[in-house]
Amino acid sequence: MDMNSSWGIDHILDLDLLPCVADITNMLVTVHAFTWLQTLLVMTLLALISYCIFLPMNYVRDLSDVGYDHLLEDSGLGLARRKGRNKSELVREVRRLRKVGKLPPVYPNGWFSLLDSTDLAPGNVKHVAALGENFAVFRTLAGVVHILDAYCPHLGANMAVGGAVRGDCLECPFHLWRFKGEDGMCSAIPYSDKVPDFARVKKWPSCEENNIIFVWYHAEEEKPSWRLTSIPQIQTGQWRYGGRNEFIVNSHIQDIPENAADVAHLNGVHSPSLLAGSDLRYTRRLLYSFARHIWSAKWQPNPDVRHQSTMHMHHEFRLFNKIPIIVLDGHIKQIGPAYVELYLSTSFGTLTLLQTVTPVEPLLQRVVHRIYCHPFLSLFARFILYGESIMIERDIMIWNHKTYIEKPLLVKEDQSIRRHRHWFSQFYSENSPQFSFQQENTDW
Ligand code: FES
Ligand SMILES: [Fe+2]
């Protein structure tokens, strides 16, 4: 049988349908490709949405990342000094030349964040240098956190570098002496029958609240005079962690909380729209003036709890100075010298930011904010955290370059700054370490 004379082929040939089949095939291929493209787009969109909702934001800026861009353009250092130097070297030069003023003591007394809880898994030890000290922070397998001096009293090894957690003890990597987390006493020396009674390492008071590990620092070695407490919604998981930001700031620690009492700076620094970014050289450009942040605030010490102060703040993001787009009311609780709980009420619900400031060096602060909220607000929380990051970068540009004026020239409306300085002075004591120029001007 001649295959070409079969009904099918003849019929197709007769009806001249071959081009039509080709069209359909092409169309199917196109539709197929289009479907794949659609699927890919939908998947990408879903991935983006889940990224925004489920993956917490982590916005990290090092010292030279914020407030030093002008050094690359026109720093006032002169061309010869700028030539051949990278940004970090220029920052170091500017830090060296800075007149810091007559500063208060550099490390106040109180609770300071060393790590976030998630940074320290059970059975792990970490080295943290802060407050002029070196800490070995470790977590037992049972989950308990202890903080000991990092340097072993035997021959000075850093126990957080290569050391191991053994039960509730930290074992030094050099000669394997063991120290109890509970009180710092030496519990075992593997090559000696006797452990001297005086063999111990300094034990630092610590606590873990709201997923942050804190150490108690006191220049007179006094025991904690107050405690931090947990926020029930964070403890129960009702509010979910939505991300964090972290900055290294070249300033004295007191400058950072002082901003809460400096109400006038809100409209000075934070009034230009977020869209204008964080470089203060450009934020007041006319281009961005169609939208503004309007602030009003009041700061006062807490009359009942001496180590606390409160700031009440109202914020509106307005278009053409008339149409409010975002309205926020803030209740900001400063607890001690280095920890702040910031509750933001919005029309969608409450967002909570936890701020910690840790002096890494006398004039180098690690500032971290973490945001918590109801899971439904995750996307909004991300936006708020990003906005807050831009706003604090504007503050950082000021902090990185300012001098400390012991007797500032204040007007009546600035009085809360004076009150804040008085309030903050409760965290200094007779032996609080003073600033030393040589100490500060080592490399960072
Ligand atoms: S230095 Fe730590 S055990 Fe010897
Ligand atoms: Fe500010």
Side-chain angles (χ1 to χ4, degrees):
M1 186 183 166
D2 182 2
M3 293 300 287
N4 286 336
S5 64
S6 71
W7 183 87
I9 298 289
D10 285 343
H11 184 69
I12 290 167
L13 289 175
D14 287 352
L15 293 175
D16 204 16
L17 283 177
L18 211 50
C20 188
V21 169
D23 283 351
I24 290 170
T25 313
N26 281 343
M27 199 179 80
L28 282 175
V29 168
T30 313
V31 167
H32 195 62
F34 184 66
T35 313
W36 269 107
L37 199 68
Q38 265 185 324
T39 313
L40 197 70
L41 276 173
V42 171
M43 296 289 281
T44 314
L45 204 66
L46 281 177
L48 264 174
I49 292 171
S50 351
Y51 171 75
C52 289
I53 295 177
F54 298 113
L55 273 187
M57 175 176 158
N58 192 17
Y59 184 94
V60 180
R61 292 287 181 271
D62 198 1
L63 176 63
S64 58
D65 293 336
V66 183
Y68 290 108
D69 283 354
H70 64 291
L71 297 181
L72 298 171
E73 296 155 31
D74 176 16
S75 61
L77 284 175
L79 261 181
R81 282 164 111 178
R82 288 203 336 253
K83 204 173 161 193
R85 294 192 187 191
N86 62 32
K87 196 174 176 188
S88 298
E89 289 167 329
L90 291 171
V91 171
R92 200 171 302 142
E93 176 79 343
V94 165
R95 288 187 76 201
R96 193 179 64 77
L97 295 172
R98 180 183 181 191
K99 185 176 172 181
V100 293
K102 193 171 180 308
L103 292 164
V106 287
Y107 303 136
N109 301 322
W111 290 102
F112 293 87
S113 152
L114 292 187
L115 293 170
D116 282 4
S117 296
T118 47
D119 295 334
L120 193 66
N124 272 12
V125 56
K126 288 228 167 135
H127 172 227
V128 182
L131 296 149
E133 304 287 346
N134 283 266
F135 303 102
V137 189
F138 70 98
R139 191 190 291 281
T140 66
L141 286 177
V144 181
V145 171
H146 296 295
I147 304 181
L148 300 178
D149 241 13
Y151 297 122
C152 177
H154 177 220
L155 271 174
N158 186 328
M159 296 193 287
V161 181
V165 178
R166 306 282 182 215
D168 66 346
C169 293
L170 182 60
E171 183 183 83
C172 178
F174 206 177
H175 312 93
L176 311 184
W177 290 28
R178 286 186 186 179
F179 297 90
K180 286 198 255 174
E182 193 186 312
D183 54 12
M185 295 298 293
C186 181
S187 62
I189 300 174
Y191 54 89
S192 171
D193 300 338
K194 189 163 164 39
V195 176
D197 296 342
F198 51 83
R200 69 184 304 172
V201 66
K202 181 171 178 177
K203 149 88 181 173
W204 291 85
S206 63
C207 71
E208 189 170 17
E209 297 292 353
N210 303 320
N211 303 325
I212 304 170
I213 296 169
F214 293 91
V215 68
W216 172 260
Y217 173 89
H218 200 288
E220 318 305 323
E221 307 262 328
E222 284 178 16
K223 291 203 167 69
S225 49
W226 42 276
R227 296 274 169 193
L228 295 169
T229 53
S230 59
I231 297 172
Q233 292 90 334
I234 292 180
Q235 203 176 17
T236 58
Q238 194 183 333
W239 287 347
R240 204 166 62 190
Y241 172 67
R244 69 196 285 277
N245 61 29
E246 177 177 342
F247 303 92
I248 297 293
V249 184
N250 181 193
S251 78
H252 187 278
I253 183 171
Q254 193 180 304
D255 278 334
I256 294 168
E258 189 168 286
N259 262 24
D262 178 3
V263 175
H265 100 281
L266 291 171
N267 285 315
V269 171
H270 302 298
S271 181
S273 155
L274 270 183
L275 303 170
S278 59
D279 191 326
L280 295 174
R281 293 173 300 163
Y282 309 122
T283 52
R284 286 177 291 273
R285 281 184 173 171
L286 198 62
L287 174 68
Y288 306 109
S289 60
F290 67 94
R292 296 188 79 72
H293 302 266
I294 314 292
W295 306 84
S296 59
K298 189 175 180 203
W299 175 89
Q300 57 189 6
N302 187 326
D304 305 318
V305 190
R306 193 167 164 257
H307 64 271
Q308 291 187 12
S309 67
T310 311
M311 180 197 190
H312 290 284
M313 174 268 283
H314 179 77
H315 159 274
E316 287 183 15
F317 181 54
R318 284 193 209 154
L319 287 183
F320 309 109
N321 207 21
K322 278 197 168 57
I323 311 160
I325 304 291
I326 299 172
V327 179
L328 301 171
D329 278 293
H331 173 80
I332 298 147
K333 213 160 87 172
Q334 170 93 31
I335 305 169
Y339 176 62
V340 178
E341 292 175 358
L342 196 153
Y343 300 91
L344 287 178
S345 306
T346 73
S347 37
F348 304 113
T350 303
L351 301 160
T352 302
L353 281 150
L354 306 181
Q355 173 186 283
T356 55
V357 183
T358 309
V360 180
E361 288 178 18
L363 292 189
L364 214 55
Q365 314 300 326
R366 190 166 74 97
V367 181
V368 181
H369 296 96
R370 306 108 181 129
I371 197 161
Y372 286 87
C373 62
H374 191 280
F376 287 149
L377 293 179
S378 296
L379 210 55
F380 186 53
R382 223 179 159 80
F383 168 73
I384 293 290
L385 186 62
Y386 179 73
E388 194 266 345
S389 305
I390 299 294
M391 287 300 182
I392 199 173
E393 285 187 0
R394 294 182 186 174
D395 288 318
I396 292 172
M397 194 162 177
I398 300 281
W399 291 330
N400 279 355
H401 298 278
K402 77 186 284 289
T403 191
Y404 181 81
I405 299 186
E406 193 187 13
K407 293 188 176 121
L409 203 166
L410 302 176
V411 293
K412 182 165 66 68
E413 290 76 6
D414 290 326
Q415 283 314 309
S416 52
I417 297 175
R418 197 187 308 281
R419 290 174 68 213
H420 185 275
R421 288 194 178 186
H422 177 69
W423 175 79
F424 201 89
S425 67
Q426 68 175 298
F427 303 117
Y428 302 126
S429 56
E430 196 184 343
N431 291 306
S432 292
Q434 297 289 338
F435 177 76
S436 120
F437 186 77
Q438 289 79 4
Q439 183 189 8
E440 171 58 18
N441 279 275
T442 52
D443 286 354
W444 52 275

